[in-house]
């Protein structure tokens, strides 16, 4: 048996292209003491991966040319020498885009899952995994949302934004989403329950559009985008408003030329709180988030949007499609399993 990996072939210039990635084959590693071998089942495609492809460190070391792409996955334990884990366990953790990975106690985001039989396993890579947990923790721990407040969410049709939109509505907030297409605007208002949607590509003056949609002002801004959207949102915040810094995807494809922010004075004028966060810093909050999200999914109060690409060889293409803004909801790669593996 061989282990296929997707590695970085070229540093992308702008939006990553499928040819920036390469599928290679190697041997399957043997787990040592304190390690386990896992079979990856679903990969979560994350916008944050883009920051690791340019050869520059941020909060993780960059992925070198020829190095395997790292990303969160749902996986099944094949062999375990790690206390607390047994063969057959379903886990979540930051692994690599490959058939088989080694995992240990230091694996970031490592957790044992207890998937429910009536819930698709893929949900644990997104809505019931990192995306849902990020939205929940961001809104509650950073945004400190309260019923009756107005919440503005950018990239509201994306993996985290679509979950944040629904969670904020369930908490009794008015929700306005910023999206990049009329189809996405219709989706978040008609399916996800947002009170209003703004298509930033066609609305003209974004500050004016937010002001029109939120005449009472914005109490909480869940920022997945940064750049011009953040700049516009700052002008619309209420006094003591909170800005949740979750992502800056508008600059991910051109990190050498970040978008200037002109309205930072609003932090002082409106006495705003602006705080960025990474989910793995708040892992102690994940169990409560997971319990609540499960309840909402089971009751049908939350709908999980997925865009699943089949097969590891298509991972580079799927990532490129996501990073050019062509997709809706959570982007996943479902591993192409053998018939024996699929039956396990």
């Amino acid at each position: 048996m061989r282990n296929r990996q997707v590695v970085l072939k070229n540093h992308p210039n702008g939006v990553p292209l499928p040819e920036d990635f390469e599928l290679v084959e190697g041997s399957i590693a043997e787990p040592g003491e304190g390690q386990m071998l896992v079979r990856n089942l679903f990969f979560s495609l994350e916008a944050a991966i883009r920051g690791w492809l340019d050869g520059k460190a941020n909060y993780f070391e960059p992925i070198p040319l020829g190095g395997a792409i790292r990303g969160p996955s749902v996986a099944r334990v094949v062999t375990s020498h790690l206390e607390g884990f047994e063969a057959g366990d379903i886990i979540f953790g930051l692994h690599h885009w490959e058939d088989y990975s080694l995992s240990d106690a230091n694996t970031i985001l490592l957790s044992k899952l207890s998937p429910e039989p009536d819930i698709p396993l893929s949900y644990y890579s997104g809505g019931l995994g990192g995306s849902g947990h990020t939205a929940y923790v961001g809104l509650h721990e950073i945004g400190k949302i309260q019923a009756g407040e107005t919440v503005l969410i950018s990239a509201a049709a994306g993996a985290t934004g679509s979950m944040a939109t629904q969670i904020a509505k369930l908490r009794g907030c008015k929700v306005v989403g910023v999206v990049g297409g009329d189809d996405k605007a219709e989706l978040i208002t008609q399916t996800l329950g947002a009170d209003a949607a703004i298509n930033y590509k066609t609305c003209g003056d974004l500050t004016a559009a937010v002001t029109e949609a939120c005449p009472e002002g914005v109490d909480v801004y869940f920022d997945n985008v940064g750049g011009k959207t953040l700049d516009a949102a700052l002008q619309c915040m209420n006094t003591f408003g909170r800005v949740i810094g979750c992502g800056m995807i508008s600059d991910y494809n051109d990190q050498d030329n970040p978008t200037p922010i002109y309205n930072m004075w609003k932090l002082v004028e409106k006495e705003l709180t602006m705080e960025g966060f990474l989910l793995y810093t708040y892992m102690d909050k994940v169990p409560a988030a997971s319990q609540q999200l499960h309840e909402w999914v089971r009751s049908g109060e939350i709908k999980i949007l997925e865009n699943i690409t089949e097969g590891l060889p298509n991972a580079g293409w799927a990532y490129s499609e996501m990073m050019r803004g062509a997709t809706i909801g959570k982007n996943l790669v479902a591993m192409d399993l053998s018939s024996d593996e699929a039956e396990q």
Side-chain angles (χ1 to χ4, degrees):
M1 295 176 63
R2 306 290 286 173
N3 190 36
R4 300 171 303 164
Q5 287 186 326
V6 176
V7 302
L8 182 63
K9 185 177 181 181
N10 308 300
H11 294 302
N13 181 17
V15 176
L17 301 175
E19 51 265 35
D20 293 325
F21 305 91
E22 184 178 18
L23 187 71
V24 300
E25 288 192 1
S27 58
I28 299 174
E30 288 290 334
E33 188 64 31
Q35 292 183 317
M36 55 185 174
L37 179 70
V38 303
R39 177 54 159 121
N40 292 303
L41 305 176
F42 289 96
F43 282 105
S44 170
L45 302 184
E46 304 288 339
I49 293 172
R50 180 63 185 85
W52 310 334
L53 305 182
D54 287 337
K56 301 171 185 177
N58 48 39
Y59 59 92
F60 280 138
E61 288 298 312
I63 297 170
L65 292 178
I69 308 300
R70 72 173 78 94
S73 76
V74 168
R76 180 187 295 113
V77 177
V78 177
T79 304
S80 177
H81 304 305
L82 177 61
E83 185 177 355
F85 294 87
E86 300 179 353
D89 285 346
I90 302 297
I91 67 162
F92 182 84
L94 186 68
H95 298 116
H96 291 102
W97 290 5
E98 58 188 354
D99 289 310
Y100 295 90
S101 294
L102 291 179
S103 197
D104 59 32
N106 295 318
T107 297
I108 294 173
L109 300 176
L110 179 64
S111 59
K112 186 189 296 186
L113 301 178
S114 299
E116 300 185 10
D118 57 340
I119 293 179
L121 187 59
S122 58
Y123 283 14
Y124 293 90
S125 291
L128 292 177
S131 301
H133 297 158
T134 297
Y136 190 97
V137 169
L139 287 170
H140 292 88
E141 300 300 322
I142 312 300
K144 304 185 188 308
I145 57 170
Q146 302 293 323
E149 292 187 318
T150 296
V151 179
L152 179 69
I153 299 171
S154 57
T160 300
S162 63
M163 294 297 292
T165 295
Q166 297 176 86
I167 293 168
K169 281 301 296 180
L170 287 165
R171 291 306 193 202
C173 299
K174 174 181 176 178
V175 179
V176 176
V178 180
V179 295
D182 290 340
D183 56 336
K184 295 178 180 180
E186 181 178 0
L187 172 73
I188 69 166
T189 53
Q190 300 302 312
T191 302
L192 304 186
D195 296 281
I198 299 168
N199 181 353
Y200 74 88
K201 293 183 177 180
T202 59
C203 72
D205 186 328
L206 183 55
T207 299
V210 173
T211 299
E212 181 179 356
C214 308
E216 66 289 333
V218 175
D219 299 297
V220 177
Y221 171 44
F222 196 110
D223 186 26
N224 293 301
V225 172
K228 294 179 180 179
T229 307
L230 171 60
D231 215 29
L234 286 170
Q235 297 188 76
C236 304
M237 300 297 296
N238 287 330
T239 301
F240 302 122
R242 289 85 71 199
V243 177
I244 305 165
C246 182
M248 300 279 174
I249 58 176
S250 65
D251 287 332
Y252 284 175
N253 290 320
D254 190 11
Q255 296 183 75
D256 290 334
N257 298 288
T259 304
I261 304 296
Y262 298 101
N263 295 307
M264 292 300 286
W265 168 248
K266 291 294 181 179
L267 288 174
V268 178
E269 178 188 342
K270 296 291 187 177
E271 298 183 78
L272 306 178
T273 299
M274 183 175 180
E275 184 176 352
F277 78 105
L278 299 172
L279 179 61
Y280 65 77
T281 304
Y282 292 84
M283 291 305 289
D284 61 320
K285 306 298 182 183
V286 166
S290 180
Q291 180 179 348
Q292 180 62 80
L293 290 170
H294 272 83
E295 291 178 8
W296 282 331
V297 169
R298 283 193 295 264
S299 67
E301 294 173 279
I302 275 187
K303 299 174 178 63
I304 293 180
L305 307 179
E306 293 184 309
N307 182 46
I308 300 178
T309 297
E310 298 287 340
L312 183 62
N314 298 316
W317 172 85
Y319 192 72
S320 177
E321 288 292 287
M322 182 183 79
M323 292 306 293
R324 71 180 185 89
T327 61
I328 288 175
K330 183 63 189 179
N331 289 273
L332 306 172
V333 172
M335 295 294 289
D336 33 350
L337 304 178
S338 69
S339 57
D340 290 340
E341 290 175 315
E343 292 175 0
Q344 292 179 8

